[in-house]
Short mmCIF file of all heavy atoms in Angstrom, two decimals:
data_model
loop_
_atom_site.label_atom_id
_atom_site.label_comp_id
_atom_site.label_asym_id
_atom_site.label_seq_id
_atom_site.Cartn_x
_atom_site.Cartn_y
_atom_site.Cartn_z
N TYR A 707 -9.65 -30.57 -10.06
CA TYR A 707 -8.96 -31.58 -10.87
C TYR A 707 -9.04 -31.24 -12.35
O TYR A 707 -10.05 -30.72 -12.82
CB TYR A 707 -9.63 -32.95 -10.65
CG TYR A 707 -9.38 -33.49 -9.27
CD1 TYR A 707 -10.19 -33.13 -8.21
CD2 TYR A 707 -8.30 -34.33 -9.03
CE1 TYR A 707 -9.94 -33.60 -6.93
CE2 TYR A 707 -8.03 -34.80 -7.75
CZ TYR A 707 -8.86 -34.43 -6.71
OH TYR A 707 -8.59 -34.89 -5.45
N SER A 708 -7.98 -31.57 -13.07
CA SER A 708 -7.99 -31.40 -14.53
C SER A 708 -8.86 -32.50 -15.14
O SER A 708 -9.25 -33.46 -14.45
CB SER A 708 -6.57 -31.51 -15.08
OG SER A 708 -6.12 -32.85 -14.97
N GLU A 709 -9.10 -32.38 -16.43
CA GLU A 709 -9.88 -33.40 -17.13
C GLU A 709 -9.20 -34.78 -17.03
O GLU A 709 -9.86 -35.80 -17.01
CB GLU A 709 -10.04 -32.98 -18.60
CG GLU A 709 -11.12 -33.72 -19.33
CD GLU A 709 -11.32 -33.19 -20.74
OE1 GLU A 709 -10.50 -32.37 -21.20
OE2 GLU A 709 -12.31 -33.61 -21.37
N GLN A 710 -7.86 -34.76 -16.92
CA GLN A 710 -7.10 -36.02 -16.79
C GLN A 710 -7.09 -36.55 -15.35
O GLN A 710 -6.46 -37.56 -15.08
CB GLN A 710 -5.66 -35.82 -17.27
CG GLN A 710 -5.48 -35.76 -18.77
CD GLN A 710 -5.99 -34.45 -19.37
OE1 GLN A 710 -5.83 -33.39 -18.76
NE2 GLN A 710 -6.61 -34.53 -20.53
N GLY A 711 -7.71 -35.82 -14.44
CA GLY A 711 -7.78 -36.29 -13.07
C GLY A 711 -6.59 -35.89 -12.21
O GLY A 711 -6.38 -36.43 -11.12
N ILE A 712 -5.81 -34.93 -12.69
CA ILE A 712 -4.68 -34.43 -11.89
C ILE A 712 -5.18 -33.28 -11.01
O ILE A 712 -5.85 -32.38 -11.50
CB ILE A 712 -3.54 -33.94 -12.81
CG1 ILE A 712 -2.96 -35.13 -13.59
CG2 ILE A 712 -2.45 -33.20 -12.01
CD1 ILE A 712 -2.08 -34.74 -14.75
N GLN A 713 -4.84 -33.35 -9.72
CA GLN A 713 -5.26 -32.24 -8.85
C GLN A 713 -4.37 -31.04 -9.12
O GLN A 713 -3.15 -31.09 -8.98
CB GLN A 713 -5.17 -32.63 -7.37
CG GLN A 713 -5.77 -31.54 -6.49
CD GLN A 713 -5.83 -31.89 -5.02
OE1 GLN A 713 -5.32 -32.93 -4.59
NE2 GLN A 713 -6.46 -31.03 -4.24
N GLN A 714 -5.00 -29.94 -9.51
CA GLN A 714 -4.24 -28.73 -9.83
C GLN A 714 -4.34 -27.66 -8.76
O GLN A 714 -3.53 -26.73 -8.73
CB GLN A 714 -4.72 -28.16 -11.17
CG GLN A 714 -4.31 -29.02 -12.36
CD GLN A 714 -4.40 -28.22 -13.64
OE1 GLN A 714 -5.43 -28.19 -14.29
NE2 GLN A 714 -3.31 -27.56 -13.99
N LEU A 715 -5.38 -27.77 -7.90
CA LEU A 715 -5.53 -26.77 -6.84
C LEU A 715 -6.07 -27.47 -5.60
O LEU A 715 -6.94 -28.34 -5.70
CB LEU A 715 -6.51 -25.68 -7.29
CG LEU A 715 -6.57 -24.48 -6.37
CD1 LEU A 715 -5.53 -23.44 -6.78
CD2 LEU A 715 -7.94 -23.82 -6.39
N GLY A 716 -5.53 -27.09 -4.45
CA GLY A 716 -6.03 -27.67 -3.20
C GLY A 716 -5.79 -26.73 -2.04
O GLY A 716 -4.69 -26.22 -1.87
N ILE A 717 -6.84 -26.52 -1.26
CA ILE A 717 -6.74 -25.68 -0.07
C ILE A 717 -6.83 -26.61 1.13
O ILE A 717 -7.88 -27.24 1.34
CB ILE A 717 -7.92 -24.67 -0.01
CG1 ILE A 717 -8.08 -23.92 -1.34
CG2 ILE A 717 -7.76 -23.72 1.18
CD1 ILE A 717 -6.90 -23.08 -1.72
N GLU A 718 -5.74 -26.68 1.88
CA GLU A 718 -5.72 -27.60 3.01
C GLU A 718 -6.03 -26.87 4.31
O GLU A 718 -5.58 -25.74 4.53
CB GLU A 718 -4.34 -28.27 3.12
CG GLU A 718 -4.36 -29.46 4.07
CD GLU A 718 -2.98 -30.12 4.27
OE1 GLU A 718 -1.96 -29.45 4.08
OE2 GLU A 718 -2.97 -31.29 4.62
N MET A 719 -6.81 -27.51 5.16
CA MET A 719 -7.09 -27.02 6.51
C MET A 719 -6.28 -27.88 7.47
O MET A 719 -6.11 -29.08 7.21
CB MET A 719 -8.57 -27.21 6.85
CG MET A 719 -9.54 -26.46 5.99
SD MET A 719 -9.63 -24.72 6.43
CE MET A 719 -8.86 -24.01 5.00
N GLY A 720 -5.80 -27.28 8.54
CA GLY A 720 -5.07 -28.08 9.52
C GLY A 720 -3.80 -27.38 9.94
O GLY A 720 -3.67 -26.16 9.78
N ARG A 721 -2.86 -28.16 10.48
CA ARG A 721 -1.58 -27.60 10.91
C ARG A 721 -0.63 -27.50 9.74
O ARG A 721 -0.58 -28.40 8.91
CB ARG A 721 -0.94 -28.54 11.95
CG ARG A 721 -1.47 -28.31 13.33
CD ARG A 721 -0.83 -29.29 14.31
NE ARG A 721 -1.54 -29.23 15.56
CZ ARG A 721 -1.40 -28.26 16.46
NH1 ARG A 721 -0.54 -27.27 16.26
NH2 ARG A 721 -2.12 -28.26 17.56
N SER A 722 0.13 -26.44 9.68
CA SER A 722 1.08 -26.22 8.58
C SER A 722 0.47 -26.60 7.23
O SER A 722 0.97 -27.49 6.54
CB SER A 722 2.38 -27.00 8.82
OG SER A 722 2.96 -26.58 10.04
N PRO A 723 -0.61 -25.92 6.86
CA PRO A 723 -1.32 -26.31 5.63
C PRO A 723 -0.50 -26.03 4.38
O PRO A 723 0.31 -25.10 4.35
CB PRO A 723 -2.57 -25.43 5.66
CG PRO A 723 -2.18 -24.23 6.46
CD PRO A 723 -1.22 -24.75 7.51
N VAL A 724 -0.73 -26.85 3.39
CA VAL A 724 -0.05 -26.69 2.11
C VAL A 724 -1.02 -25.99 1.16
O VAL A 724 -2.24 -26.12 1.30
CB VAL A 724 0.38 -28.08 1.59
CG1 VAL A 724 -0.78 -28.87 1.05
CG2 VAL A 724 1.45 -27.96 0.55
N PHE A 725 -0.47 -25.20 0.27
CA PHE A 725 -1.29 -24.68 -0.84
C PHE A 725 -0.90 -25.49 -2.06
O PHE A 725 0.18 -25.34 -2.61
CB PHE A 725 -1.01 -23.18 -1.07
CG PHE A 725 -1.72 -22.62 -2.27
CD1 PHE A 725 -3.11 -22.54 -2.29
CD2 PHE A 725 -1.02 -22.17 -3.37
CE1 PHE A 725 -3.78 -22.03 -3.41
CE2 PHE A 725 -1.68 -21.66 -4.49
CZ PHE A 725 -3.06 -21.58 -4.50
N LEU A 726 -1.80 -26.40 -2.42
CA LEU A 726 -1.49 -27.28 -3.55
C LEU A 726 -1.84 -26.55 -4.83
O LEU A 726 -2.98 -26.10 -5.00
CB LEU A 726 -2.30 -28.57 -3.40
CG LEU A 726 -1.97 -29.74 -4.32
CD1 LEU A 726 -2.51 -31.03 -3.74
CD2 LEU A 726 -2.47 -29.54 -5.73
N TYR A 727 -0.85 -26.43 -5.70
CA TYR A 727 -1.06 -25.78 -6.99
C TYR A 727 -0.14 -26.44 -8.00
O TYR A 727 1.05 -26.63 -7.73
CB TYR A 727 -0.73 -24.28 -6.91
CG TYR A 727 -0.96 -23.55 -8.22
CD1 TYR A 727 -2.11 -22.79 -8.42
CD2 TYR A 727 -0.03 -23.64 -9.26
CE1 TYR A 727 -2.33 -22.13 -9.62
CE2 TYR A 727 -0.25 -22.99 -10.47
CZ TYR A 727 -1.39 -22.24 -10.64
OH TYR A 727 -1.61 -21.60 -11.84
N GLU A 728 -0.70 -26.82 -9.12
CA GLU A 728 0.12 -27.45 -10.15
C GLU A 728 -0.36 -26.95 -11.50
O GLU A 728 -1.53 -27.12 -11.84
CB GLU A 728 -0.05 -28.97 -10.04
CG GLU A 728 0.99 -29.73 -10.80
CD GLU A 728 0.94 -31.23 -10.53
OE1 GLU A 728 0.93 -31.63 -9.34
OE2 GLU A 728 0.91 -31.97 -11.50
N ASP A 729 0.53 -26.33 -12.25
CA ASP A 729 0.11 -25.81 -13.57
C ASP A 729 0.04 -26.94 -14.60
O ASP A 729 0.27 -28.11 -14.26
CB ASP A 729 0.99 -24.64 -14.01
CG ASP A 729 2.41 -25.07 -14.40
OD1 ASP A 729 2.66 -26.29 -14.56
OD2 ASP A 729 3.27 -24.18 -14.51
N GLN A 730 -0.23 -26.57 -15.84
CA GLN A 730 -0.43 -27.58 -16.90
C GLN A 730 0.84 -28.39 -17.18
O GLN A 730 0.78 -29.43 -17.81
CB GLN A 730 -0.96 -26.92 -18.17
CG GLN A 730 0.01 -26.00 -18.90
CD GLN A 730 0.07 -24.58 -18.35
OE1 GLN A 730 -0.21 -24.34 -17.19
NE2 GLN A 730 0.43 -23.63 -19.20
N ASN A 731 1.99 -27.89 -16.72
CA ASN A 731 3.25 -28.61 -16.92
C ASN A 731 3.78 -29.25 -15.64
O ASN A 731 4.96 -29.59 -15.55
CB ASN A 731 4.31 -27.66 -17.51
CG ASN A 731 3.86 -27.12 -18.86
OD1 ASN A 731 3.36 -27.86 -19.71
ND2 ASN A 731 3.98 -25.81 -19.05
N GLY A 732 2.92 -29.35 -14.65
CA GLY A 732 3.31 -30.01 -13.40
C GLY A 732 4.20 -29.19 -12.49
O GLY A 732 4.95 -29.72 -11.67
N LYS A 733 4.15 -27.87 -12.64
CA LYS A 733 4.96 -26.99 -11.79
C LYS A 733 4.10 -26.18 -10.83
O LYS A 733 3.09 -25.65 -11.26
CB LYS A 733 5.79 -26.03 -12.66
CG LYS A 733 6.98 -26.74 -13.32
CD LYS A 733 7.80 -25.76 -14.12
CE LYS A 733 8.64 -24.86 -13.22
NZ LYS A 733 9.40 -23.85 -14.00
N PRO A 734 4.46 -26.00 -9.58
CA PRO A 734 5.63 -26.62 -8.94
C PRO A 734 5.43 -28.11 -8.68
O PRO A 734 4.30 -28.59 -8.65
CB PRO A 734 5.74 -25.85 -7.62
CG PRO A 734 4.35 -25.38 -7.34
CD PRO A 734 3.74 -25.12 -8.67
N ALA A 735 6.55 -28.79 -8.46
CA ALA A 735 6.51 -30.20 -8.07
C ALA A 735 6.03 -30.27 -6.62
O ALA A 735 6.18 -29.30 -5.88
CB ALA A 735 7.90 -30.80 -8.19
N PRO A 736 5.45 -31.40 -6.21
CA PRO A 736 4.88 -31.50 -4.86
C PRO A 736 5.82 -31.05 -3.74
O PRO A 736 5.38 -30.41 -2.78
CB PRO A 736 4.54 -32.98 -4.73
CG PRO A 736 4.25 -33.40 -6.13
CD PRO A 736 5.18 -32.60 -7.01
N GLU A 737 7.14 -31.32 -3.87
CA GLU A 737 8.06 -30.93 -2.79
C GLU A 737 8.23 -29.41 -2.71
O GLU A 737 8.76 -28.89 -1.75
CB GLU A 737 9.41 -31.65 -2.92
CG GLU A 737 10.18 -31.39 -4.20
CD GLU A 737 9.84 -32.39 -5.31
OE1 GLU A 737 8.74 -32.98 -5.29
OE2 GLU A 737 10.70 -32.56 -6.21
N ASP A 738 7.78 -28.71 -3.77
CA ASP A 738 7.89 -27.25 -3.77
C ASP A 738 6.55 -26.54 -3.53
O ASP A 738 6.45 -25.32 -3.70
CB ASP A 738 8.48 -26.77 -5.11
CG ASP A 738 9.91 -27.26 -5.30
OD1 ASP A 738 10.63 -27.36 -4.28
OD2 ASP A 738 10.30 -27.53 -6.46
N TYR A 739 5.52 -27.29 -3.17
CA TYR A 739 4.25 -26.64 -2.86
C TYR A 739 4.45 -25.67 -1.69
O TYR A 739 5.11 -26.03 -0.71
CB TYR A 739 3.17 -27.66 -2.44
CG TYR A 739 2.64 -28.56 -3.52
CD1 TYR A 739 2.04 -29.78 -3.18
CD2 TYR A 739 2.71 -28.22 -4.86
CE1 TYR A 739 1.53 -30.63 -4.16
CE2 TYR A 739 2.20 -29.07 -5.85
CZ TYR A 739 1.62 -30.26 -5.48
OH TYR A 739 1.12 -31.11 -6.43
N PRO A 740 3.88 -24.50 -1.79
CA PRO A 740 3.99 -23.56 -0.66
C PRO A 740 3.39 -24.16 0.62
O PRO A 740 2.31 -24.75 0.59
CB PRO A 740 3.18 -22.36 -1.12
CG PRO A 740 3.09 -22.48 -2.60
CD PRO A 740 3.13 -23.93 -2.91
N LEU A 741 4.13 -23.99 1.73
CA LEU A 741 3.73 -24.56 3.01
C LEU A 741 3.69 -23.43 4.03
O LEU A 741 4.62 -22.62 4.09
CB LEU A 741 4.77 -25.61 3.41
CG LEU A 741 4.53 -26.39 4.68
CD1 LEU A 741 3.42 -27.42 4.48
CD2 LEU A 741 5.81 -27.11 5.11
N PHE A 742 2.63 -23.38 4.80
CA PHE A 742 2.54 -22.33 5.82
C PHE A 742 2.80 -22.95 7.19
O PHE A 742 1.88 -23.26 7.95
CB PHE A 742 1.18 -21.62 5.72
CG PHE A 742 1.03 -20.85 4.43
CD1 PHE A 742 0.38 -21.41 3.34
CD2 PHE A 742 1.59 -19.59 4.29
CE1 PHE A 742 0.28 -20.72 2.13
CE2 PHE A 742 1.50 -18.89 3.09
CZ PHE A 742 0.84 -19.46 2.03
N ARG A 743 4.09 -23.14 7.45
CA ARG A 743 4.53 -23.76 8.68
C ARG A 743 4.12 -22.93 9.90
O ARG A 743 4.19 -21.70 9.85
CB ARG A 743 6.05 -23.91 8.65
CG ARG A 743 6.59 -25.06 9.42
CD ARG A 743 8.11 -25.14 9.29
NE ARG A 743 8.56 -25.52 7.94
CZ ARG A 743 8.54 -26.77 7.48
NH1 ARG A 743 8.12 -27.76 8.24
NH2 ARG A 743 8.95 -27.04 6.26
N GLY A 744 3.68 -23.62 10.94
CA GLY A 744 3.37 -22.92 12.18
C GLY A 744 1.97 -22.33 12.23
O GLY A 744 1.54 -21.82 13.25
N VAL A 745 1.24 -22.42 11.10
CA VAL A 745 -0.14 -21.93 11.08
C VAL A 745 -1.05 -23.11 11.36
O VAL A 745 -0.79 -24.22 10.92
CB VAL A 745 -0.46 -21.32 9.70
CG1 VAL A 745 -1.93 -21.04 9.52
CG2 VAL A 745 0.37 -20.07 9.47
N ASN A 746 -2.12 -22.87 12.15
CA ASN A 746 -3.11 -23.92 12.35
C ASN A 746 -4.48 -23.40 11.95
O ASN A 746 -5.04 -22.53 12.61
CB ASN A 746 -3.12 -24.38 13.81
CG ASN A 746 -4.06 -25.55 14.04
OD1 ASN A 746 -4.63 -26.10 13.07
ND2 ASN A 746 -4.24 -25.94 15.28
N LEU A 747 -4.99 -23.94 10.85
CA LEU A 747 -6.29 -23.47 10.35
C LEU A 747 -7.45 -24.32 10.87
O LEU A 747 -8.60 -24.08 10.54
CB LEU A 747 -6.31 -23.47 8.81
CG LEU A 747 -5.29 -22.55 8.12
CD1 LEU A 747 -5.42 -22.68 6.61
CD2 LEU A 747 -5.45 -21.11 8.56
N ALA A 748 -7.13 -25.31 11.68
CA ALA A 748 -8.18 -26.19 12.22
C ALA A 748 -8.04 -26.28 13.73
O ALA A 748 -7.48 -27.24 14.27
CB ALA A 748 -8.10 -27.57 11.57
N ASP A 749 -8.52 -25.26 14.42
CA ASP A 749 -8.45 -25.24 15.88
C ASP A 749 -9.84 -25.06 16.49
O ASP A 749 -9.97 -24.68 17.65
CB ASP A 749 -7.50 -24.13 16.36
CG ASP A 749 -7.93 -22.75 15.85
OD1 ASP A 749 -8.96 -22.67 15.15
OD2 ASP A 749 -7.24 -21.76 16.15
N GLY A 750 -10.87 -25.32 15.71
CA GLY A 750 -12.24 -25.23 16.22
C GLY A 750 -12.75 -23.80 16.33
O GLY A 750 -13.81 -23.58 16.91
N LYS A 751 -12.01 -22.84 15.80
CA LYS A 751 -12.45 -21.44 15.84
C LYS A 751 -12.70 -20.91 14.42
O LYS A 751 -12.15 -21.45 13.45
CB LYS A 751 -11.36 -20.56 16.49
CG LYS A 751 -11.12 -20.90 17.94
CD LYS A 751 -10.08 -19.95 18.52
CE LYS A 751 -9.70 -20.37 19.93
NZ LYS A 751 -8.27 -20.23 20.17
N TRP A 752 -13.48 -19.84 14.37
CA TRP A 752 -13.72 -19.21 13.07
C TRP A 752 -12.45 -18.53 12.58
O TRP A 752 -11.74 -17.90 13.37
CB TRP A 752 -14.81 -18.13 13.19
CG TRP A 752 -16.19 -18.70 13.21
CD1 TRP A 752 -17.01 -18.82 14.29
CD2 TRP A 752 -16.91 -19.22 12.08
NE1 TRP A 752 -18.19 -19.39 13.90
CE2 TRP A 752 -18.17 -19.64 12.56
CE3 TRP A 752 -16.62 -19.39 10.72
CZ2 TRP A 752 -19.13 -20.20 11.73
CZ3 TRP A 752 -17.58 -19.95 9.90
CH2 TRP A 752 -18.81 -20.36 10.40
N HIS A 753 -12.17 -18.65 11.29
CA HIS A 753 -11.05 -17.94 10.68
C HIS A 753 -11.45 -17.33 9.35
O HIS A 753 -12.22 -17.93 8.59
CB HIS A 753 -9.86 -18.89 10.45
CG HIS A 753 -9.21 -19.31 11.72
ND1 HIS A 753 -8.49 -18.44 12.51
CD2 HIS A 753 -9.22 -20.50 12.36
CE1 HIS A 753 -8.06 -19.09 13.58
NE2 HIS A 753 -8.49 -20.35 13.52
N ARG A 754 -10.93 -16.14 9.12
CA ARG A 754 -11.05 -15.52 7.80
C ARG A 754 -9.73 -15.78 7.08
O ARG A 754 -8.69 -15.29 7.48
CB ARG A 754 -11.35 -14.04 7.93
CG ARG A 754 -12.83 -13.83 8.26
CD ARG A 754 -13.19 -12.38 8.40
NE ARG A 754 -12.89 -11.91 9.75
CZ ARG A 754 -13.26 -10.70 10.21
NH1 ARG A 754 -13.91 -9.87 9.41
NH2 ARG A 754 -12.97 -10.34 11.44
N ILE A 755 -9.81 -16.61 6.07
CA ILE A 755 -8.62 -17.08 5.35
C ILE A 755 -8.67 -16.53 3.93
O ILE A 755 -9.64 -16.77 3.21
CB ILE A 755 -8.61 -18.63 5.30
CG1 ILE A 755 -8.59 -19.20 6.73
CG2 ILE A 755 -7.44 -19.14 4.48
CD1 ILE A 755 -8.97 -20.67 6.80
N ALA A 756 -7.66 -15.78 3.55
CA ALA A 756 -7.63 -15.24 2.19
C ALA A 756 -6.27 -15.54 1.57
O ALA A 756 -5.23 -15.26 2.16
CB ALA A 756 -7.91 -13.74 2.20
N LEU A 757 -6.29 -16.13 0.40
CA LEU A 757 -5.06 -16.45 -0.33
C LEU A 757 -5.02 -15.60 -1.59
O LEU A 757 -6.00 -15.56 -2.34
CB LEU A 757 -5.05 -17.93 -0.72
CG LEU A 757 -4.80 -18.91 0.42
CD1 LEU A 757 -5.35 -20.28 0.05
CD2 LEU A 757 -3.31 -19.03 0.73
N SER A 758 -3.91 -14.94 -1.78
CA SER A 758 -3.73 -14.12 -2.97
C SER A 758 -2.64 -14.76 -3.82
O SER A 758 -1.52 -14.93 -3.37
CB SER A 758 -3.33 -12.71 -2.56
OG SER A 758 -2.96 -11.97 -3.71
N VAL A 759 -2.98 -15.14 -5.04
CA VAL A 759 -2.01 -15.74 -5.95
C VAL A 759 -1.70 -14.72 -7.04
O VAL A 759 -2.59 -14.31 -7.77
CB VAL A 759 -2.54 -17.05 -6.56
CG1 VAL A 759 -1.57 -17.60 -7.59
CG2 VAL A 759 -2.80 -18.07 -5.47
N SER A 760 -0.44 -14.31 -7.09
CA SER A 760 -0.04 -13.31 -8.06
C SER A 760 1.37 -13.63 -8.54
O SER A 760 2.26 -13.89 -7.72
CB SER A 760 -0.06 -11.94 -7.38
OG SER A 760 0.31 -10.95 -8.30
N LYS A 761 1.55 -13.62 -9.82
CA LYS A 761 2.85 -13.96 -10.42
C LYS A 761 3.33 -15.29 -9.82
O LYS A 761 2.61 -16.26 -9.88
CB LYS A 761 3.88 -12.85 -10.15
CG LYS A 761 3.45 -11.51 -10.71
CD LYS A 761 4.46 -10.43 -10.33
CE LYS A 761 3.78 -9.09 -10.15
NZ LYS A 761 4.63 -8.08 -9.55
N LYS A 762 4.51 -15.27 -9.19
CA LYS A 762 5.04 -16.53 -8.65
C LYS A 762 5.10 -16.50 -7.14
O LYS A 762 6.04 -17.01 -6.52
CB LYS A 762 6.40 -16.81 -9.28
CG LYS A 762 6.25 -16.92 -10.80
CD LYS A 762 7.43 -17.50 -11.50
CE LYS A 762 7.14 -17.51 -13.00
NZ LYS A 762 8.14 -18.20 -13.77
N ASN A 763 4.07 -15.89 -6.54
CA ASN A 763 3.97 -15.82 -5.09
C ASN A 763 2.55 -16.16 -4.67
O ASN A 763 1.59 -15.88 -5.39
CB ASN A 763 4.25 -14.39 -4.60
CG ASN A 763 5.74 -14.14 -4.35
OD1 ASN A 763 6.53 -15.07 -4.25
ND2 ASN A 763 6.08 -12.88 -4.22
N VAL A 764 2.43 -16.70 -3.48
CA VAL A 764 1.10 -16.83 -2.87
C VAL A 764 1.20 -16.23 -1.47
O VAL A 764 2.15 -16.48 -0.73
CB VAL A 764 0.60 -18.30 -2.84
CG1 VAL A 764 1.59 -19.24 -2.18
CG2 VAL A 764 -0.76 -18.40 -2.15
N THR A 765 0.22 -15.40 -1.15
CA THR A 765 0.20 -14.75 0.16
C THR A 765 -1.03 -15.20 0.93
O THR A 765 -2.14 -15.17 0.39
CB THR A 765 0.21 -13.22 0.00
OG1 THR A 765 1.39 -12.84 -0.70
CG2 THR A 765 0.16 -12.51 1.35
N LEU A 766 -0.80 -15.63 2.16
CA LEU A 766 -1.91 -15.99 3.04
C LEU A 766 -2.17 -14.83 3.99
O LEU A 766 -1.26 -14.37 4.67
CB LEU A 766 -1.56 -17.25 3.85
CG LEU A 766 -2.51 -17.61 5.02
CD1 LEU A 766 -3.90 -17.99 4.52
CD2 LEU A 766 -1.93 -18.76 5.85
N LEU A 767 -3.41 -14.35 3.98
CA LEU A 767 -3.82 -13.30 4.91
C LEU A 767 -4.78 -13.95 5.88
O LEU A 767 -5.86 -14.41 5.49
CB LEU A 767 -4.49 -12.15 4.14
CG LEU A 767 -3.52 -11.50 3.15
CD1 LEU A 767 -4.05 -11.56 1.75
CD2 LEU A 767 -3.18 -10.10 3.59
N LEU A 768 -4.35 -14.04 7.13
CA LEU A 768 -5.12 -14.78 8.11
C LEU A 768 -5.76 -13.83 9.12
O LEU A 768 -5.06 -13.05 9.76
CB LEU A 768 -4.20 -15.80 8.81
CG LEU A 768 -4.86 -16.73 9.82
CD1 LEU A 768 -6.01 -17.52 9.20
CD2 LEU A 768 -3.83 -17.69 10.41
N ASP A 769 -7.07 -13.92 9.24
CA ASP A 769 -7.83 -13.14 10.21
C ASP A 769 -7.51 -11.64 10.14
O ASP A 769 -7.41 -10.97 11.17
CB ASP A 769 -7.61 -13.68 11.63
CG ASP A 769 -8.12 -15.11 11.74
OD1 ASP A 769 -9.23 -15.38 11.23
OD2 ASP A 769 -7.40 -15.97 12.30
N CYS A 770 -7.37 -11.17 8.95
CA CYS A 770 -7.25 -9.73 8.68
C CYS A 770 -5.96 -9.10 9.19
O CYS A 770 -5.81 -7.89 9.13
CB CYS A 770 -8.45 -8.97 9.26
SG CYS A 770 -10.01 -9.84 9.16
N LYS A 771 -5.04 -9.90 9.73
CA LYS A 771 -3.83 -9.26 10.23
C LYS A 771 -2.54 -9.98 9.84
O LYS A 771 -1.63 -9.36 9.34
CB LYS A 771 -3.90 -9.01 11.74
CG LYS A 771 -4.53 -10.11 12.56
CD LYS A 771 -4.57 -9.72 14.03
CE LYS A 771 -4.71 -10.92 14.92
NZ LYS A 771 -6.13 -11.38 14.97
#
Side-chain angles (χ1 to χ4, degrees):
Y707 290 85
S708 70
E709 196 175 9
Q710 284 73 38
I712 295 166
Q713 187 175 6
Q714 290 198 270
L715 190 89
I717 310 297
E718 193 183 25
M719 297 283 111
R721 277 179 191 283
S722 300
V724 75
F725 175 66
L726 191 161
Y727 181 101
E728 195 172 310
D729 71 13
Q730 69 276 26
N731 299 315
K733 285 182 75 183
E737 60 270 24
D738 295 326
Y739 290 158
L741 183 74
F742 294 97
R743 209 178 291 282
V745 169
N746 185 6
L747 298 180
D749 57 1
K751 295 183 187 140
W752 281 105
H753 290 291
R754 282 180 276 188
I755 300 164
L757 287 157
S758 171
V759 175
S760 181
K761 301 176 212 169
K762 300 193 181 188
N763 272 344
V764 54
T765 300
L766 168 66
L767 298 122
L768 184 56
D769 297 316
C770 323
K771 39 181 201 281

